[in-house]
């Protein structure tokens, strides 16, 4: 006979997370930078970086938003704009050696260590060979180095470099590597895409290091010769990925959009959307893509034009409207819109290709059409300051969203968790008054429900009741007395085997 025992309930304390400021300083090159430490993006006065940042870059700040170091894919610089020890020309390759920088979009990114606040990884692609029968140079290695910020009198030192994750067997899409915080709020996912393929490499960074977890083939491959693969965006919530492609062999008139759902808990991509478009024709390049903070709108730069697309439209590309056009009046370079990046203040910042004295801003990107409040040349980098000129070369840092926190990675409807030699599932999840426990040929002895502090609130003495997925061999728990919150469920079979799961009470 089953016996359910009720224990005293305790109030579940909410978890409060604070957004970090590791992404609050953007190095732009040529003595230009933006800081967000006072709220909205402002020109960083006194920046002394003379290095041009034209394609790829990534920066790291401390928790107070002070710059620590940055890289353009070939060298690592400390906060004094000096090359770190062992940080010079670390990224070599047959094609890459032709350049003093890494000439691919978003080909590198910093990721912090999970268990050591003093160390960071820098992940990067190389440039090894030129595409067969095509104009493009391609990477065939995804590598990383390690920086210890405490060394060199606190200015940092590269302590380990050129460790390989994807090692020469495949050509990779040029650039577009990115990191997303794991749903557990601690670890990180890193994704890279194979060239001319629908295959993704997925890397997990956890407390024990860097692991190539698996690959996943999803969606449609892009097979045009010379496919420009430099346009991607991750939603602020980390649950959506978007790519825009344009093949060089069709005069950039053929655009293709891929959108995927991303599960931060499992690293799985799902629900692919694939759409086709013919581009405007008075522009010459697709260069950047960016989600609005709430994920409703997707923005794209195409030469002299910025588009806004509605992610809730039946056809996303067909919903595209022009929200800005460059007047091509700036100097020293043509006023072509280039990269976009969502700032910590929720605004979207737009650089110009080749460098000039300005940056444009989408001030209210969650609003439709003109209400998004695009301001042309909103930020001015100061012109002459002594003998130095504040000029932005166009690259915006490829940094992760440090503000993402922990989410519920519990068991969903019908999902299964291992218990001994059997399987257990709990549903619905989230649940209301009743929680159903089922499995596959499992003898359950006891089931306990605990709060986040490990205190037992409910215990079901199932007396070795056999359960499986049939409707007649399941256990139902009455959880109506539990307040709203996250709970853990622990099941023990007759042999003492243990399973730990999780559910949400609505």
């Amino acid at each position: 006979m089953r016996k359910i025992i009720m224990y005293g309930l305790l109030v579940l304390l909410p978890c409060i997370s604070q957004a970090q400021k590791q992404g609050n300083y953007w190095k732009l090159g040529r003595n230009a930078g933006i800081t967000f430490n006072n709220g909205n993006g402002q020109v960083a006065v006194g920046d002394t970086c003379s290095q041009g940042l034209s394609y790829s870059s990534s920066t790291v700040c401390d928790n107070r938003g002070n710059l620590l170091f940055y890289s353009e894919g070939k060298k690592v610089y400390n906060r004094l704009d000096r090359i770190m020890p062992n940080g010079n020309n670390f990224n070599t390759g047959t094609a890459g050696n032709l350049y003093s920088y890494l000439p691919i979009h978003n080909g590198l990114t910093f990721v912090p260590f999970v268990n050591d606040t003093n160390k960071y990884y820098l992940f990067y692609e190389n440039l090894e060979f030129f595409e067969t029968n095509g104009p493009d140079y391609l990477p065939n290695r995804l590598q990383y180095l390690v920086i210890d910020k405490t060394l060199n009198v606190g200015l940092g030192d590269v302590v380990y470099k050129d460790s390989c994750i994807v090692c020469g067997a495949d050509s990779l899409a040029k650039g577009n590597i990115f990191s997303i915080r794991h749903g557990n709020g601690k670890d990180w996912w890193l994704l890279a895409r194979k060239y001319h393929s629908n295959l993704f490499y997925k890397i997990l960074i956890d407390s024990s290091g860097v692991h190539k977890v698996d690959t996943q083939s999803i969606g449609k491959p892009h097979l045009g010769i010379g496919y420009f693969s430099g346009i991607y965006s991750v939603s602020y919530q980390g649950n959506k990925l978007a790519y825009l492609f344009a093949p060089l062999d069709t005069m950039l008139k053929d655009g293709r959009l891929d959108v995927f759902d991303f599960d931060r808990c499992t690293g799985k991509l799902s629900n692919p959307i694939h759409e086709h478009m013919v581009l405007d024709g008075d522009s010459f390049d697709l260069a950047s893509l960016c989600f609005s903070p709430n994920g409703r709108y997707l923005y794209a730069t195409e030469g002299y034009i910025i588009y806004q697309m509605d992610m809730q439209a039946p056809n996303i590309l067909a919903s595209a409207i022009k929200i800005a056009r460059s007047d091509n009046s700036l100097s020293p370079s043509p006023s072509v819109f280039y990269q976009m990046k969502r700032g910590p203040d929720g605004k979207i910042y737009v650089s110009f290709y080749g460098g000039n004295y300005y940056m444009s801003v989408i001030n209210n990107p969650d609003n439709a059409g003109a209400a998004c409040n695009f301001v042309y040349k909103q930020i001015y980098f100061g012109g002459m300051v002594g003998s130095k000129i504040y000029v932005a070369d166009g690259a915006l840092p490829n940094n992760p969203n440090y503000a993402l926190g922990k989410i519920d990675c519990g068991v969903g409807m019908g999902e299964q968790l291992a218990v001994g030699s059997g399987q257990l599932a709990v549903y619905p999840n989230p649940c209301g008054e009743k929680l159903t426990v089922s499995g596959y040929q499992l003898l359950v002895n006891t089931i306990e429900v605990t709060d986040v502090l490990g205190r037992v609130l409910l215990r079901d003495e199932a007396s070795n009741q056999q359960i499986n997925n049939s409707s007649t061999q399941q256990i139902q728990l009455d959880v109506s007395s539990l307040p709203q919150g996250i709970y853990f469920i622990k099941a023990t079979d007759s042999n003492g085997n243990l399973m730990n799961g999780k559910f949400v009470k609505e």
Side-chain angles (χ1 to χ4, degrees):
M1 182 176 180
R2 290 172 54 201
K3 181 180 179 182
I4 298 179
I5 303 172
M6 177 70 73
Y7 289 77
L9 294 177
L10 296 173
V11 176
L12 298 179
L13 297 177
C15 296
I16 301 176
S17 63
Q18 288 186 325
Q20 302 297 309
K21 295 184 178 181
Q22 289 100 320
N24 268 26
Y25 194 106
W26 296 0
K27 276 285 187 178
L28 304 179
R30 307 293 185 193
N31 307 112
I34 292 180
T35 177
F36 295 88
N37 287 338
N38 294 323
N40 295 329
Q42 300 175 359
V43 174
V45 178
D47 194 293
T48 60
C49 171
S50 60
Q51 172 67 43
L53 304 178
S54 298
Y55 289 86
S56 284
S57 71
S58 189
T59 60
V60 172
C61 306
D62 61 22
N63 286 340
R64 292 172 292 181
N66 299 312
L67 180 69
L68 293 176
F69 40 82
Y70 61 99
S71 177
E72 30 66 284
K74 299 286 284 189
K75 299 172 284 295
V76 182
Y77 297 83
N78 61 31
R79 66 177 182 268
L80 301 180
D81 300 302
R82 299 171 183 167
I83 299 174
M84 283 187 182
N86 304 308
N88 192 19
N89 296 324
F90 57 84
N91 189 358
T92 59
T94 301
N97 287 338
L98 302 175
Y99 303 89
S100 61
Y101 54 91
L102 186 61
I104 58 178
H105 293 202
N106 300 312
L108 68 151
T109 187
F110 284 105
V111 177
F113 268 52
V114 173
N115 60 344
D116 189 338
T117 58
N118 292 319
K119 292 181 179 179
Y120 289 80
Y121 299 102
L122 175 60
F123 295 93
Y124 55 92
E125 290 182 336
N126 72 338
L127 283 179
E128 181 59 31
F129 56 90
F130 287 89
E131 180 185 18
T132 302
N133 299 321
D136 218 357
Y137 37 80
L138 299 172
N140 70 340
R141 295 169 70 89
L142 176 61
Q143 302 169 273
Y144 69 89
L145 57 78
V146 175
I147 296 170
D148 188 334
K149 70 179 184 180
T150 66
L151 300 180
N152 191 26
V153 200
L155 293 175
D157 193 350
V158 176
V159 296
Y160 184 73
K161 60 183 179 181
D162 290 336
S163 181
C164 191
I165 309 169
V166 179
C167 306
D170 294 317
S171 57
L172 298 170
K174 193 173 69 171
N176 285 339
I177 65 172
F178 56 89
S179 53
I180 302 175
R181 193 186 292 274
H182 192 287
N184 62 20
K186 299 182 300 181
D187 303 334
W188 296 86
W189 295 105
L190 184 80
L191 273 71
R193 190 165 183 165
K194 184 178 178 180
Y195 189 67
H196 277 180
S197 173
N198 65 344
L199 185 142
F200 289 83
Y201 295 95
K202 289 184 287 187
I203 292 90
L204 176 67
I205 301 102
D206 62 15
S207 59
S208 62
V210 178
H211 318 279
K212 188 169 76 172
V213 177
D214 62 8
T215 60
Q216 182 180 358
S217 295
I218 185 171
K220 296 182 179 181
H222 298 272
L223 302 177
I225 294 175
Y227 242 108
F228 176 76
S229 55
I231 313 167
Y232 87 98
S233 183
V234 180
S235 67
Y236 178 81
Q237 298 78 13
N239 62 349
K240 291 278 188 182
L241 309 181
Y243 293 84
L244 261 179
F245 295 82
L248 299 177
D249 58 351
T250 58
M251 299 298 291
L252 290 173
K253 297 297 194 304
D254 180 33
R256 301 180 187 182
L257 175 70
D258 284 346
V259 179
F260 302 92
D261 289 341
F262 183 74
D263 188 327
R264 289 174 53 204
C265 296
T266 65
K268 297 295 183 183
L269 295 161
S270 61
N271 302 322
I273 297 173
H274 181 84
E275 296 184 0
H276 173 271
M277 75 178 293
V278 176
L279 302 182
D280 184 81
D282 62 352
S283 300
F284 71 92
D285 204 353
L286 287 166
S288 191
L289 199 66
C290 190
F291 279 99
S292 67
N294 67 5
R296 172 66 186 269
Y297 297 105
L298 185 64
Y299 294 85
T301 60
E302 185 206 349
Y304 301 110
I305 300 171
I306 299 179
Y307 292 96
Q308 182 194 72
M309 293 168 278
D310 189 347
M311 295 297 294
Q312 296 182 11
N315 185 297
I316 298 170
L317 287 174
S319 73
I321 60 173
K322 299 175 185 178
I323 59 107
R325 182 184 291 272
S326 172
D327 62 11
N328 195 27
S329 65
L330 303 183
S331 62
S333 298
S335 311
V336 176
F337 293 125
Y338 189 36
Q339 296 189 11
M340 292 188 294
K341 183 175 177 61
R342 189 177 50 246
D345 56 0
K347 301 179 181 182
I348 294 177
Y349 292 78
V350 187
S351 67
F352 290 103
Y353 181 78
N356 54 61
Y357 308 111
Y358 297 93
M359 184 170 290
S360 302
V361 181
I362 305 173
N363 289 276
N364 303 106
D366 286 334
N367 295 339
C372 73
N373 190 18
F374 172 83
V375 178
Y376 191 55
K377 301 189 297 186
Q378 179 169 320
I379 297 178
Y380 176 55
F381 288 101
M384 299 297 294
V385 178
S387 60
K388 297 180 179 179
I389 302 176
Y390 286 72
V391 178
D393 268 10
L396 302 182
N398 184 23
N399 296 336
N401 180 3
Y402 292 101
L404 281 178
K406 185 178 180 180
I407 60 174
D408 176 32
C409 288
V411 184
M413 177 68 176
E415 292 182 83
Q416 296 179 325
L417 296 173
V419 175
S421 59
Q423 298 285 324
L424 189 69
V426 293
Y427 56 88
N429 192 1
C431 66
E433 296 184 352
K434 301 292 184 180
L435 183 71
T436 299
V437 181
S438 66
Y440 176 73
Q441 300 300 324
L442 180 69
L443 293 175
V444 176
N445 187 26
T446 61
I447 297 177
E448 291 182 342
V449 175
T450 64
D451 63 13
V452 294
L453 299 178
R455 293 172 288 210
V456 178
L457 305 180
L458 295 173
R459 178 182 288 135
D460 184 1
E461 295 182 355
S463 301
N464 292 330
Q465 178 176 340
Q466 181 169 324
I467 61 172
N468 60 32
N469 290 324
S470 72
S471 60
T472 60
Q473 292 183 295
Q474 298 174 342
I475 294 176
Q476 277 200 335
L477 296 181
D478 184 350
V479 294
S480 59
S481 58
L482 299 177
Q484 294 180 352
I486 298 174
Y487 296 89
F488 298 89
I489 184 167
K490 180 172 67 175
T492 307
D493 69 9
S494 57
N495 295 318
N497 294 316
L498 180 67
M499 184 279 295
N500 292 294
K502 186 189 299 183
F503 68 93
V504 177
K505 170 66 189 313
E506 292 183 326

